Amino acid sequence: LASILAGGLMGVLMSFMSVSLKLNQTVVGLGLNLLASGLTFYLYRISYVVDGDFEIPRIEVFQNIEIPLLSKIPFLGPILFNQNILTYFALLMVPAIWFFLYRTRHGLLIRGLGEYPRAVDVKGVSVDKFRYLAVMFGGMMAGLGGSFLTIGSSGIFVQEISAGRGWLAIVIVIAGNWKP
């Protein structure tokens, strides 16, 4: 929950700078990424330094939930059906967000915010409000995704724990022709 809240706050900060102040989204995103990296390590250091040495706290990871019968399927069973709750949530969010973006009125509005903001504005919808909400939701999901590395996988936090994996998401979006 803390990671979702932190991601949401970063989304609000991103929205404020890129929507309200009209700053370049790429520059703001890179700056916030560097801020988050430095801030998390700083907070970690002031919280867990004991006599000049790091005391690496162990965090209990979420346990895998085995789906009966499906987890016994050769090769794919353990990969898809013996995971923790965060993995199942992520797998369910892909079609849910696709459905929302491509099959609902609000999804059409959100897609229009990036492609045709004037059309959304002419319709009487607050472009800035929806942009804030969309970026905040994206930040919340990014925060949850980042927390997976600690509470869903490794059980510890170290500086640069993602090892650049977040940048792969950007590459995937570009390679996917900007479609979820």
Side-chain angles (χ1 to χ4, degrees):
L1 292 175
S3 66
I4 292 170
L5 178 63
L9 290 173
M10 291 297 275
V12 169
L13 187 56
M14 172 78 179
S15 295
F16 174 71
M17 288 196 260
S18 62
V19 174
S20 298
L21 299 180
K22 309 280 190 236
L23 299 175
N24 183 291
Q25 295 174 37
T26 305
V27 173
V28 170
L30 289 171
L32 288 178
N33 191 353
L34 293 173
L35 171 68
S37 177
L39 185 62
T40 54
F41 189 62
Y42 173 73
L43 293 173
Y44 175 73
R45 283 188 59 151
I46 64 171
S47 299
Y48 295 104
V49 170
V50 177
D51 297 327
D53 289 329
F54 284 117
E55 181 182 303
I56 299 176
R58 300 291 306 165
I59 300 163
E60 184 143 349
V61 297
F62 289 168
Q63 298 301 312
N64 284 359
I65 300 168
E66 187 174 309
I67 298 176
L69 300 175
L70 295 176
S71 63
K72 303 297 183 212
I73 297 171
F75 185 71
L76 289 180
I79 295 171
L80 295 176
F81 303 111
N82 188 12
Q83 298 294 329
N84 67 49
I85 193 72
L86 292 175
T87 302
Y88 291 130
F89 179 74
L91 292 172
L92 290 173
M93 287 302 289
V94 172
I97 291 173
W98 175 88
F99 181 84
F100 176 78
L101 287 174
Y102 289 95
R103 297 291 186 246
T104 67
R105 178 181 178 273
H106 283 75
L108 178 62
L109 289 174
I110 288 173
R111 288 187 295 131
L113 294 175
E115 299 295 325
Y116 309 105
R118 285 185 183 252
V120 174
D121 188 44
V122 167
K123 194 151 174 57
V125 175
S126 172
V127 171
D128 288 354
K129 175 184 150 187
F130 269 87
R131 283 183 172 173
Y132 264 82
L133 290 172
V135 174
M136 189 173 74
F137 178 76
M140 292 167 71
M141 291 296 100
L144 180 60
S147 73
F148 172 82
L149 297 171
T150 304
I151 63 175
S153 179
S154 67
I156 61 170
F157 174 81
V158 293
Q159 185 178 18
E160 301 297 333
I161 190 169
S162 65
R165 290 184 201 109
W167 298 108
L168 291 177
I170 294 172
V171 172
I172 290 168
V173 168
I174 294 168
N177 201 24
W178 301 95
K179 294 183 180 172

